[in-house]
Amino acid sequence: MESSLILTLLTDDLLLKIISLLNDDFDRKSFRSTCKVFHRVDSLHRTHLRLLRPEFLSTLVVKFPCLNSVDLSACPRIDDGTIPFLLSSIHSVSPSWAAKIRRLNLSRCSGLRFPGLQMIVSFFVNLESVDVSYCCGFGDREAAVLSCLAGLRELNLDKCLYVTDVGLAKIVVGCPKLENLSLKWCFEVTDIGVELLSKKCSDLKRLDISYLKVTSESLLAVGRMERLEVLAMVGCSLVNDIGLHYLGKGCPSLQVLDISRCDKLSSSALVSVIKAHSGLLQLHASYSFFDIPVTFLHQFKDLKKLRTLRIDGARVSDSSFQIISVNCKALVEIGMGKCGGVSDTGIIQLVSGCVNLKVFNLTCCSDLTDSSIRAIAESCQDLSCLKLECCNLLSQKSLEYLGSHCVLLEEIDLTDCFGINDIGIRYLSKCSELVCLKLGLCANISNKGLSYIASNCPKIQELDLYRCPGISDDGLASLSVGCRKLRKLILSYCSAVTDRGMEHLGCLEQLSDLELRGLPNVTGTGLRAIAAGCRRLAELDLKHCENIDDSGFWALTYYSKNLKQINLSGCQISDLSLCMLMGNLTCLQDAKLVDLNNVTANGFEHALRACSAQLKKLKLLAPLRRLLSQEIVETLKARGCKIRWD
Amino acid sequence: MTEADREIIKPEMLRAHVWLQTSDGSILQVEQEVAIFCPFICHEIQSGTGSLKCYPISLPSRVNPLMLSLILDYCRFHQVPGHSNKERKSFDERFVRMDTKRLCELTSAADSLELKPLVDLTSRALARVIEGKTPEEIREIFHLPDDLTEEEKLEPIKNTMDDPRIRLLNRLYARKRKELKERERLKNVEAEEENVDDRSVDDLLSYINGGHGDSKGTTTSKNKKKNRRRKDHQKTAPLNCSSCSNGTFLSNSVDESNKMDSVCNNRMVRGNILPNLGNTTELLDTGNARFAPEEEFDDCDLDDDIDPALKEEIDREVADFARRLNSDWPERLQEILSLGSERSQLPLSRNGNGT
């Protein structure tokens, strides 16, 4: 029989190889649901699991014996109350499973606190990588708990606002094998903490101290880290040139340096770093310097291996491009967004030398014309990402050049490029590998342009049509047929779109992020069509869609069980519907409920009570603060929900 | 030997040949430099076989003559050092343009000959075939059997029954059922003699009244002995939103029961919420929950074994409880009533409803 023939041909090893080449989650899920053999191979070899609801963990644990990485960041209601039940249910099902888990992602589990974290740490004893970023209530006690994991190699503490030097010290002492540490936005950490870090964790390879109030003294300590390869210090506004000199003298293994948005640094000091680190691979200096003097760029002759250079916001001159193109031929990514002085001649010169460019950011370089795009297209045929926002002088000819030469193009940003029209899109659609296309504020695009995209670019996943008045239902019809992989769609203020278009959107099964602001012709029927069809909808923005009535919201309640983020500002939703919505959508974590004219304070009260367990971010009108009961506000805060009063 | 002879012999010696035998017995002579591109053949040569026709290298069974010729084409191209990367890439792209079955055979053959670059190439081609396809399409292309249980197909199991009111309702029914069991045991029941007719009528009724929800809720066929218990289940089950919690061992008469089958085999009634598979059944279940009390009273006439007074009392309690729960959602109740009465698959496909 044919079937058994193929299954005998493809051994488990081969099937495993094929699985490893399926990058998309959706594809892997299809593979898994095909037949028993495929299902078994996938189950036995799956190593990473990302859950939407924590209740599933105990049943799935038995099915995946090779699991070593668990991601709970998308789960609602991970807090001190539910953790004991979760862990005991897992333990009863499979006692030895917890010891195999090496990576745990608890990002944004803001309801979790010290007791819950303690239980987790004592359950998963062999953790090597923990991510607790954005758990804003975490402080030194939680850091102390994490320090019990002696084998910890990677730790992400981004935005754990209450972690101080004391907490950092505990971690540093308890986890000497640390290789990757991120302390972004942990404002309480100072020079002392960083110094201790440099003394104790000699294996550190990646460090992120962005936005911390550290001074140049920290960089003296960082300079002593022998193995440090990646250093990110975005927005460290207290660091000055002395710090860069320290860096220049130390950090022998440095490969990636990010000093974006550091106001006090000057390019001359950066020279000392460059001189000492000729093996530098990536240099990110966006919005740090006012201009890039030519003397500085001359130092680039030492940086033969440089692959990424970002100098957004700095003023450059034509000679700069020439120097770069001569010296840095290995450049793969260059960022010149909002740089003054970027002209056609400069670009032409740049791409004559840097032919390996794959990522090119020319946001707001408004002086560019078709000739520079032609040069880019002809020289850099491996181009995969091109950002041309606000380049108003470009016309359809640019897209013609891109379409004929850069067939590997995956991402292009043409927001606010007035000259782009349907004919241009037709040329662009020859790039059939397109994944992300941004056409916001392009007034000359119409349904015809969309039909070209739909017929030629099947891989497209993100489409931005913000304020494109020419788009209407027929365009959406062609999208629904041709772009089955579409995940993110922005149709805000495309006022010609009606319910019929929404029905077409309902055919896009993979749609998960939808922005439909300000659409007056969409009613409850349309919203129902979307809710019923797009089962994977996770983010929905309906701001100022004033004609959507309750039937639409009821459909949303019923169908969109995986909805995580919703913006209902300005909608005509009623008390009852809001309550139902908030109560029944158990995955909802982020809600913007501003300007709801039909909802009374009582309605808000009930709605918030219904969802207080899982909500993490909330935006409400400021006057409501007095009208809501103290109780509900306190409860929300205690559960880790952040409320923004507008 | 003269110089001329030596000249003639040398080129022949350079182009040495090996002998390969495929699974069907046919023997092929191949240039050595091409053949040793395959690690398997290389090892065999080193261990001595293959240089003579009578001692050919026998290739693994998965390599038939057609596959061998394809593999040798591949080797012949790639073993030449002179080609550029671009040329190799375009050769590869053209090479893997074949139907899926042949691609699988080629992968298997290359794997048995340990030719890793070709295995990578063909695996990537197979992955590209699979990408973007639904499970049905993949099954069709690869001629795979559709042998997964519904449970496996629909995982992860959706647990939408985390509504505390529904849990309370379940617990109430479990308690009621226990009480009824006690009372039955006290009475002398000859319900066993009750023939199949009643059961089938009840089945029909449950099918008609409760529809999908009911079939799930109907108790195990094994436990169909006592009418009243079944009837109570029948009565309670539709109100039970975790429609499979009572175990649907009811066989293939209703589609949904198949879905629930394996799940319920694993999950016995504990009075707990059980996973509710499938989205389409959800509305019907909640629909059942809401309007079932009305429907139930129609059934009362057939149930003449249990003490009517007791039954009425139980019915009243259950109805009261359900109504109390539903008092918060009058409008939704109305909507679901009107939707549920038609009992189609996607009730919300009708327009203009619910306003």
Side-chain angles (χ1 to χ4, degrees):
Chain A
M1 199 174 60
E2 286 255 32
S3 62
S4 53
L5 177 68
I6 290 197
L7 287 178
T8 49
L9 283 178
L10 297 175
T11 60
D12 278 5
D13 288 331
L14 291 174
L15 284 177
L16 199 57
K17 198 177 185 71
I18 296 175
I19 292 179
S20 63
L21 295 168
L22 290 174
N23 292 320
D24 203 299
D25 249 352
F26 188 73
D27 292 330
R28 190 143 174 190
K29 193 153 184 197
S30 293
F31 181 89
R32 195 184 155 73
S33 329
T34 307
C35 69
K36 265 202 175 356
V37 172
F38 284 17
H39 187 98
R40 181 176 48 85
V41 171
D42 182 70
S43 298
L44 290 179
H45 292 100
R46 183 174 272 264
T47 55
H48 175 74
L49 189 64
R50 181 173 176 262
L51 291 174
L52 288 179
R53 285 166 210 269
E55 306 89 81
F56 298 156
L57 196 54
S58 49
T59 53
L60 293 177
V61 151
V62 253
K63 295 193 184 170
F64 303 123
C66 287
L67 216 55
N68 64 15
S69 161
V70 178
D71 184 345
L72 297 173
S73 55
C75 291
R77 290 192 247 181
I78 301 271
D79 54 33
D80 293 345
T82 56
I83 285 291
F85 295 113
L86 188 65
L87 298 184
S88 64
S89 68
I90 298 173
H91 186 80
S92 58
V93 164
S94 171
S96 62
W97 177 78
K100 289 189 240 165
I101 300 297
R102 299 272 180 273
R103 295 176 67 108
L104 186 61
N105 188 338
L106 293 168
S107 175
R108 291 175 206 271
C109 295
S110 42
L112 203 60
R113 287 280 184 277
F114 160 68
L117 190 63
Q118 172 117 61
M119 277 186 257
I120 289 179
V121 163
S122 38
F123 192 69
F124 295 107
V125 286
N126 288 332
L127 281 176
E128 287 176 12
S129 163
V130 175
D131 184 346
V132 287
S133 54
Y134 297 95
C135 294
C136 303
F138 272 31
D140 289 341
R141 286 186 90 186
E142 286 79 13
V145 166
L146 288 171
S147 65
C148 301
L149 295 166
L152 202 61
R153 299 233 178 108
E154 269 183 43
L155 182 57
N156 189 337
L157 291 170
D158 286 352
K159 219 154 191 189
C160 293
L161 296 172
Y162 301 108
V163 172
T164 69
D165 290 331
V166 174
L168 183 58
K170 289 214 176 94
I171 290 177
V172 154
V173 166
C175 314
K177 290 194 197 166
L178 217 52
E179 286 177 14
N180 188 339
L181 179 62
S182 182
L183 296 166
K184 204 150 85 158
W185 288 310
C186 296
F187 296 123
E188 307 284 332
V189 173
T190 66
D191 295 337
I192 304 170
V194 179
E195 203 175 322
L196 191 60
L197 181 66
S198 71
K199 286 200 182 121
K200 287 279 176 180
C201 294
S202 49
D203 286 340
L204 207 63
K205 286 194 189 148
R206 298 169 70 106
L207 179 62
D208 188 342
I209 47 173
S210 304
Y211 302 102
L212 296 189
K213 296 193 176 47
V214 292
T215 69
S216 307
E217 294 302 311
S218 301
L219 288 189
L220 178 61
V222 168
R224 282 193 228 114
M225 293 182 189
E226 303 273 309
R227 305 227 177 99
L228 196 67
E229 291 172 9
V230 176
L231 176 63
M233 28 181 282
V234 179
C236 290
S237 29
L238 298 177
V239 174
N240 55 22
D241 286 348
I242 305 174
L244 280 186
H245 283 297
Y246 289 145
L247 261 190
K249 287 192 214 139
C251 281
S253 316
L254 199 64
Q255 292 176 3
V256 174
L257 180 62
D258 189 343
I259 47 169
S260 306
R261 296 182 201 269
C262 294
D263 320 350
K264 297 235 176 71
L265 300 179
S266 68
S267 44
S268 45
L270 197 52
V271 169
S272 54
V273 177
I274 294 176
K275 275 201 179 137
H277 297 95
S278 54
L280 207 60
L281 291 180
Q282 293 186 28
L283 181 59
H284 302 251
S286 310
Y287 306 107
S288 298
F289 308 130
F290 189 60
D291 61 5
I292 308 272
V294 175
T295 45
F296 168 67
L297 287 173
H298 276 301
Q299 303 305 322
F300 276 46
K301 63 182 184 310
D302 297 328
L303 295 177
K304 291 291 173 205
K305 292 192 199 164
L306 196 67
R307 294 177 56 116
T308 301
L309 176 65
R310 289 208 198 145
I311 42 173
D312 307 70
R315 187 152 196 90
V316 291
S317 59
D318 284 350
S319 40
S320 332
F321 294 103
Q322 203 225 359
I323 300 169
I324 297 176
S325 76
V326 163
N327 291 324
C328 307
K329 294 212 192 273
L331 267 183
V332 166
E333 175 178 343
I334 190 159
M336 294 197 161
K338 305 200 184 158
C339 282
V342 176
S343 64
D344 283 346
T345 37
I347 295 292
I348 294 172
Q349 206 147 47
L350 180 66
V351 294
S352 59
C354 302
V355 292
N356 296 319
L357 278 178
K358 286 200 179 139
V359 179
F360 213 148
N361 184 349
L362 294 167
T363 308
C364 291
C365 295
S366 342
D367 297 331
L368 295 182
T369 68
D370 295 336
S371 39
S372 46
I373 305 297
R374 180 178 186 171
I376 294 175
E378 283 170 2
S379 307
C380 312
Q381 309 225 339
D382 286 337
L383 199 64
S384 79
C385 170
L386 185 58
K387 297 195 182 158
L388 298 168
E389 188 179 333
C390 278
C391 295
N392 294 317
L393 298 176
L394 301 181
S395 74
Q396 71 212 41
K397 275 196 156 300
S398 313
L399 298 184
E400 189 182 342
Y401 299 132
L402 286 174
S404 28
H405 296 283
C406 301
V407 284
L408 296 177
L409 196 64
E410 287 177 9
E411 192 183 323
I412 184 163
D413 184 350
L414 295 166
T415 310
D416 208 8
C417 291
F418 187 72
I420 305 299
N421 53 20
D422 289 338
I423 306 171
I425 299 293
R426 183 163 64 121
Y427 291 127
L428 185 64
S429 64
K430 286 197 206 139
C431 304
S432 45
E433 302 285 319
L434 262 184
V435 169
C436 172
L437 177 58
K438 295 196 182 163
L439 296 169
L441 296 166
C442 292
N444 296 327
I445 307 275
S446 75
N447 291 330
K448 211 147 171 263
L450 270 194
S451 65
Y452 293 133
I453 300 283
S455 38
N456 294 326
C457 305
K459 295 192 184 179
I460 206 154
Q461 289 183 15
E462 266 187 55
L463 189 55
D464 182 349
L465 298 166
Y466 181 82
R467 289 197 198 261
C468 292
I471 303 294
S472 69
D473 297 338
D474 296 326
L476 298 183
S478 48
L479 271 188
S480 70
V481 170
C483 302
R484 308 290 307 177
K485 287 197 173 184
L486 202 61
R487 291 201 187 166
K488 188 170 162 178
L489 181 61
I490 299 181
L491 286 173
S492 300
Y493 305 104
C494 299
S495 19
V497 172
T498 71
D499 285 343
R500 200 165 57 85
M502 296 294 119
E503 268 177 44
H504 291 302
L505 286 186
C507 303
L508 292 170
E509 288 171 352
Q510 293 203 47
L511 202 58
S512 67
D513 189 343
L514 191 55
E515 193 179 298
L516 298 172
R517 293 190 177 190
L519 298 180
N521 293 325
V522 172
T523 69
T525 324
L527 186 56
R528 192 158 67 203
I530 291 181
C534 308
R535 291 315 184 93
R536 290 186 161 214
L537 206 59
E539 291 182 29
L540 184 61
D541 191 331
L542 295 170
K543 190 167 170 179
H544 292 310
C545 285
E546 279 151 11
N547 291 325
I548 296 186
D549 55 351
D550 280 348
S551 65
F553 296 117
W554 288 342
L556 208 59
T557 311
Y558 175 66
Y559 282 117
S560 304
K561 292 294 181 195
N562 288 332
L563 203 62
K564 227 176 119 186
Q565 194 173 311
I566 193 162
N567 185 342
L568 293 172
S569 307
C571 290
Q572 305 298 317
I573 190 172
S574 65
D575 267 357
L576 181 63
S577 301
L578 183 67
C579 206
M580 258 174 60
L581 196 74
M582 304 294 273
N584 282 309
L585 293 180
T586 48
C587 268
L588 197 64
Q589 292 174 41
D590 191 337
K592 295 196 179 137
L593 305 171
V594 177
D595 285 337
L596 297 181
N597 299 322
N598 286 351
V599 182
T600 62
N602 216 15
F604 271 115
E605 182 84 30
H606 284 298
L608 290 178
R609 274 173 200 268
C611 65
S612 59
Q614 70 257 20
L615 215 57
K616 291 190 184 160
K617 268 171 85 167
L618 186 58
K619 189 171 168 188
L620 296 170
L621 274 182
L624 206 54
R625 195 171 199 170
R626 284 178 288 110
L627 297 171
L628 286 177
S629 71
Q630 191 66 2
E631 207 187 319
I632 186 66
V633 176
E634 292 299 318
T635 314
L636 284 171
K637 279 216 184 107
R639 301 251 180 133
C641 173
K642 217 175 86 161
I643 308 181
R644 230 176 84 188
W645 302 101
D646 203 8
Chain B
M1 271 196 243
T2 64
E3 281 292 335
D5 284 332
R6 242 177 246 131
E7 305 277 5
I8 296 167
I9 292 172
K10 265 198 216 144
E12 278 178 23
M13 300 253 280
L14 282 171
R15 244 183 275 125
H17 288 240
V18 296
W19 299 92
L20 307 172
Q21 182 176 38
T22 50
S23 48
D24 62 345
S26 52
I27 300 179
L28 193 63
Q29 183 186 34
V30 183
E31 301 94 325
Q32 181 158 344
E33 58 201 10
V34 172
I36 58 172
F37 203 65
C38 301
F40 179 85
I41 297 176
C42 198
H43 294 150
E44 290 291 306
I45 292 177
Q46 280 167 0
S47 58
T49 49
S51 42
L52 294 172
K53 188 166 182 178
C54 40
Y55 296 114
I57 300 174
S58 38
L59 299 174
S61 56
R62 282 184 277 166
V63 187
N64 57 36
L66 177 58
M67 290 303 122
L68 182 60
S69 65
L70 283 172
I71 292 177
L72 290 174
D73 285 341
Y74 180 85
C75 296
R76 199 165 288 130
F77 184 86
H78 278 273
Q79 59 93 15
V80 175
H83 296 295
S84 73
N85 276 341
K86 263 208 163 78
E87 285 176 5
R88 286 177 199 267
K89 242 177 128 178
S90 47
F91 173 85
D92 284 346
E93 276 170 36
R94 269 179 286 124
F95 190 70
V96 284
R97 269 189 226 150
M98 58 182 84
D99 66 283
T100 320
K101 180 161 171 288
R102 193 166 291 181
L103 208 50
C104 292
E105 287 178 6
L106 187 58
T107 316
S108 174
D111 184 50
S112 60
L113 289 178
E114 297 163 31
L115 190 53
K116 200 171 173 305
L118 186 55
V119 176
D120 285 341
L121 176 65
T122 46
S123 306
R124 230 173 295 134
L126 282 171
R128 273 201 300 268
V129 169
I130 292 176
E131 261 172 26
K133 302 238 171 38
T134 65
E136 292 79 34
E137 289 167 353
I138 298 177
R139 254 177 257 139
E140 231 193 87
I141 295 173
F142 287 89
H143 302 289
L144 298 167
D146 184 1
D147 55 1
L148 282 173
T149 62
E150 294 300 326
E151 175 194 7
E152 287 165 332
K153 276 190 198 166
L154 291 170
E155 61 166 29
I157 296 163
K158 276 192 189 272
N159 187 3
T160 52
M161 291 299 120
D162 44 12
D163 188 335
R165 300 167 305 157
I166 297 171
R167 276 199 289 259
L168 275 173
L169 206 51
N170 278 343
R171 243 173 268 154
L172 171 77
Y173 295 141
R175 220 181 311 136
K176 288 285 177 225
R177 253 178 274 127
K178 249 189 254 160
E179 283 173 22
L180 288 170
K181 233 196 324 193
E182 290 293 319
R183 288 173 213 210
E184 283 157 19
R185 262 195 289 120
L186 295 175
K187 288 189 184 177
N188 263 336
V189 182
E190 279 129 30
E192 266 101 354
E193 273 94 69
E194 215 108 23
N195 53 15
V196 196
D197 293 340
D198 271 307
R199 233 180 288 160
S200 53
V201 171
D202 276 309
D203 278 350
L204 280 172
L205 269 166
S206 62
Y207 184 74
I208 295 167
N209 292 331
H212 313 276
D214 209 347
S215 65
K216 294 182 202 91
T218 315
T219 181
T220 90
S221 40
K222 300 174 195 164
N223 300 341
K224 270 188 186 167
K225 287 179 197 162
K226 312 210 163 143
N227 275 357
R228 59 192 73 118
R229 196 151 103 206
R230 196 172 17 83
K231 286 198 183 98
D232 291 324
H233 277 293
Q234 182 190 311
K235 167 182 61 184
T236 59
L239 289 158
N240 186 353
C241 277
S242 71
S243 27
C244 50
S245 67
N246 298 326
T248 70
F249 300 100
L250 186 65
S251 54
N252 317 314
S253 49
V254 184
D255 293 351
E256 260 75 354
S257 62
N258 280 341
K259 273 191 206 169
M260 304 305 151
D261 222 16
S262 30
V263 178
C264 299
N265 277 323
N266 300 334
R267 299 176 189 282
M268 296 307 293
V269 177
R270 271 184 237 120
N272 287 335
I273 310 308
L274 288 177
N276 190 6
L277 300 187
N279 279 332
T280 51
T281 54
E282 281 170 62
L283 176 61
L284 298 164
D285 298 334
T286 52
N288 288 337
R290 301 296 182 257
F291 66 77
E294 276 85 343
E295 301 284 331
E296 276 325 306
F297 299 129
D298 296 335
D299 262 339
C300 286
D301 309 319
L302 296 167
D303 196 346
D304 48 9
D305 277 318
I306 204 167
D307 183 19
L310 176 63
K311 194 174 187 307
E312 256 180 59
E313 190 197 316
I314 294 169
D315 286 344
R316 232 183 301 122
E317 271 190 63
V318 162
D320 266 336
F321 191 76
R323 244 182 259 120
R324 234 186 305 131
L325 290 181
N326 298 333
S327 61
D328 295 326
W329 312 102
E331 283 143 278
R332 185 164 180 204
L333 176 58
Q334 288 293 12
E335 181 198 25
I336 288 161
L337 269 176
S338 54
L339 290 172
S341 58
E342 292 200 27
R343 211 179 302 287
S344 48
Q345 267 307 90
L346 273 177
L348 294 190
S349 58
R350 285 191 296 284
N351 289 328
N353 203 359
T355 36

